[in-house]
Amino acid sequence: MFRRMTESESKVPRATTRGAGGVALALQGGGAHGAFVWGVLDRLLEGGLEVEAISGVSSGAISGAILAQGMASGGPARARAELRLFWERLGSGAGPGPLGAWLWAADMLGAFAWQGMETMLRHFAPAQINPMGHNPLRPLLAATLDPTRLKARGAPRLFVAATDVLSGEPVVFGNDEVTVDVLLASACVPLIFTAVEIGGRAYWDGGCAGNPPLAPLVAPRPPRELVVIRAHPVRRRTLPQSQAEIINRLNEIACHNVLQAELALMPPQCRVRIFDADDALGHLPLSSKFRADRSVLRALFAAGRAAVEAQEAAQAAA
C-alpha cells in the first residue's frame, strides 16, 4: 500500500529502525542526465561505500531503487553491477519501443527535430500525443526491479518522491511501497507523459515538489554523512533562448533553491558532501535530457566518476 504524507509527516517522516545514523544518499533526477549520478555512484561503490538510506526523484529514484536491491543481496559490488546493467540496457535501446525511439533518438540534438518536438508539446497534451499511455521505461523497469529485495532486512531505507497532481503535495513511498508504477510516477514528466495513477490518485514527477526531498533522511535521527548528487546544473554558461529552455532553467533554479533550503536545515553533526554537475551538464541543452543513446550515457557516466576522483584528489591535497 502506498502512503501519502500529511503536512506534519512531510516534515518528519515516520520513524524506522532500518539503517539510521549512517551514510545517506540524495539523488536528483534529470532524465538521461541521471547517467552522471550513475557515474558518481559507481565510483563511490567501487570504494566500498555502505549506504543506509536513499532519497531519490525520477532517474535518481530509479538508480536508488536498483542500488538498494543490489545492496540487499550482494553489497556494493552487486549494486554496482546492477546499476551498470540497467543503464547499459537503456543505452542499447532495450525496451523503449516506438515512443522511446521518438523521445530518445540519437539525432535528438538536431535543431529541426527538437524544435518540432517543442512545438508539438506546446500544442498537444500528452494524452493526445500518446493516447495509449505507453512509457518506454515500463518494460525495462519491469525486467529490472525486484520489490521483494527492497523489503529485505539488509536493504537501505529507500524514499521515492512523487507529486500528487491534484493536491500539489509531495508524496514519499518507502521500501514496502516501491513498484514499477511508483518509479514511473516519480519520473513522470508532465508535458510528455500522462499522470500515473496509484491507489486512485494521480502523480507527476517528484521533482515538482522537491529534487530530492531530504526530510525523510533525518528521521529517526540524522545520518552521519549525507551525499548529495546533482543531475541539474546550478549554473548555466549561456542565457536560455527558447520558451522550453526558459521553462527548463526556471525549473532548475527552483530545484536548486528548494534543495539549498533543506540543506540549510541539516543538523551540524551531519557531514554533507555534494557532487555538482555544472562541469558535466552546464553546457548541455534541454534536449540532451531525452538523449539516452549509449555514447551520451557513457560520457556522463565518465564525468560522474571523474567528479568523485577530483573531489578525492582535492581532499588529499588539502
Side-chain angles (χ1 to χ4, degrees):
M1 296 294 291
F2 75 98
R3 175 175 62 87
R4 297 185 63 224
M5 295 177 71
T6 65
E7 184 176 353
S8 59
E9 287 177 321
S10 66
K11 298 175 183 176
V12 182
R14 64 183 178 186
T16 176
T17 58
R18 183 191 288 167
V23 177
L25 299 176
L27 310 179
Q28 280 194 337
H33 291 180
F36 174 83
V37 175
W38 165 39
V40 174
L41 292 174
D42 184 79
R43 183 63 183 82
L44 293 175
L45 291 167
E46 186 179 48
L49 179 71
E50 291 289 345
V51 181
E52 293 191 347
I54 305 166
S55 176
V57 168
S58 191
S59 58
I62 292 171
S63 287
I66 295 170
L67 187 154
Q69 69 182 35
M71 292 288 288
S73 54
R78 178 67 179 270
R80 189 180 175 211
E82 292 199 24
L83 280 167
R84 176 174 291 276
L85 181 61
F86 170 81
W87 283 97
E88 289 191 344
R89 282 178 173 174
L90 180 63
S92 69
L99 182 65
W102 174 66
L103 285 175
W104 296 335
D107 65 346
M108 185 54 74
L109 291 182
F112 182 78
W114 180 248
Q115 287 172 7
M117 181 177 176
E118 283 185 327
T119 301
M120 190 179 310
L121 294 178
R122 283 199 300 267
H123 294 285
F124 297 95
Q128 294 172 297
I129 298 173
N130 181 22
M132 300 302 293
H134 175 70
N135 189 310
L137 281 175
R138 182 176 291 279
L140 184 54
L141 287 175
T144 304
L145 185 68
D146 183 359
T148 59
R149 283 191 284 158
L150 296 180
K151 302 173 186 177
R153 193 173 193 82
R157 290 184 299 152
L158 177 64
F159 303 99
V160 172
T163 304
D164 188 305
V165 178
L166 297 183
S167 72
E169 296 175 348
V171 180
V172 175
F173 298 87
N175 292 63
D176 296 343
E177 305 153 332
V178 174
T179 62
V180 169
D181 279 340
V182 166
L183 293 179
L184 291 177
S186 184
C188 181
V189 181
L191 292 178
I192 294 178
F193 299 112
T194 56
V196 177
E197 185 174 316
I198 303 172
R201 304 293 298 185
Y203 295 96
W204 276 341
D205 193 315
C208 297
N211 197 353
L214 303 185
L217 299 175
V218 301
R221 57 176 176 158
R224 170 175 51 83
E225 180 178 62
L226 173 66
V227 178
V228 179
I229 310 177
R230 300 188 193 272
H232 292 286
V234 175
R235 296 173 180 83
R236 284 276 181 179
R237 301 179 184 179
T238 58
L239 287 173
Q241 300 297 326
S242 71
Q243 183 184 54
E245 288 174 344
I246 292 170
I247 293 173
N248 179 62
R249 184 56 184 154
L250 286 171
N251 288 335
E252 289 175 347
I253 293 170
C255 288
H256 170 67
N257 288 340
V258 170
L259 182 58
Q260 286 303 112
E262 286 203 82
L263 285 172
L265 297 175
M266 292 298 292
Q269 67 268 31
C270 175
R271 178 193 179 203
V272 178
R273 296 177 66 192
I274 299 177
F275 293 97
D276 285 318
D278 289 16
D279 290 342
L281 306 177
H283 65 291
L284 296 178
L286 169 61
S287 56
S288 62
K289 290 184 178 182
F290 303 97
R291 191 180 179 191
D293 62 277
R294 184 173 293 171
S295 63
V296 172
L297 297 183
R298 286 181 174 175
L300 293 176
F301 167 78
R305 285 185 56 89
V308 180
E309 291 163 1
Q311 188 177 103
E312 290 175 345
Q315 291 172 346

